[in-house]
Amino acid sequence: QVQLVESGGGLVQAGGSLRLSCAASGRTFSSSSMGWFRQAPGKEREFVAAIRRSGSATYYADSVEGRFTISRDNAKNTVYLQMNSLKPEDTAVYYCAAGSVLPNHRAYDYWGQGTQVTVSS
């Protein structure tokens, strides 16, 4: 069992930055690939980024490539999502998930409760 807790969401103006954190407990964090997804009202859950358990490879959705950076600190059991140049269309609830690097949310075993990110224009 893995417990995931996201933090760092909030309200920011367009062009601003936020850093999301996801703290993991339970099963050995360093053995788990991790991902970030987001879901806006009325839309399906959308892949944002993922990182392999060693941190050796990262993957991004086209919509965030070059603006967002996923990273992890296995010593702190934490994965991060640095979000720069935010746009109003980035507004969503952001979730971290454990177990895969695939862009399909069904490939992940564990999910956090989500953190709201709102970008004003």
Side-chain angles (χ1 to χ4, degrees):
Q1 190 78 7
V2 176
Q3 292 80 42
L4 304 172
V5 179
E6 301 97 333
S7 60
L11 174 63
V12 64
Q13 288 188 334
S17 298
L18 282 174
R19 188 175 82 155
L20 305 183
S21 300
C22 174
S25 61
R27 193 179 72 181
T28 303
F29 173 77
S30 60
S31 67
S32 298
S33 294
M34 300 292 295
W36 286 96
F37 286 75
R38 65 187 182 187
Q39 189 165 19
K43 295 188 176 182
E44 293 188 354
R45 193 162 296 192
E46 174 188 28
F47 172 77
V48 175
I51 186 167
R52 291 203 176 273
R53 56 187 181 181
S54 65
S56 59
T58 56
Y59 309 88
Y60 297 94
D62 290 344
S63 59
V64 306
E65 180 84 52
R67 300 188 298 122
F68 291 10
T69 302
I70 188 171
S71 63
R72 64 190 297 159
D73 185 338
N74 287 344
K76 295 182 177 180
N77 285 1
T78 302
V79 63
Y80 304 97
L81 185 67
Q82 177 67 45
M83 305 186 295
N84 299 328
S85 302
L86 283 160
K87 304 175 181 179
E89 52 263 44
D90 295 317
T91 295
V93 177
Y94 283 70
Y95 299 89
C96 72
S100 181
V101 291
L102 296 176
N104 187 337
H105 65 87
R106 295 179 178 85
Y108 293 75
D109 301 314
Y110 303 99
W111 292 84
Q113 83 290 349
T115 185
Q116 176 71 47
V117 171
T118 303
V119 184
S120 63
S121 57

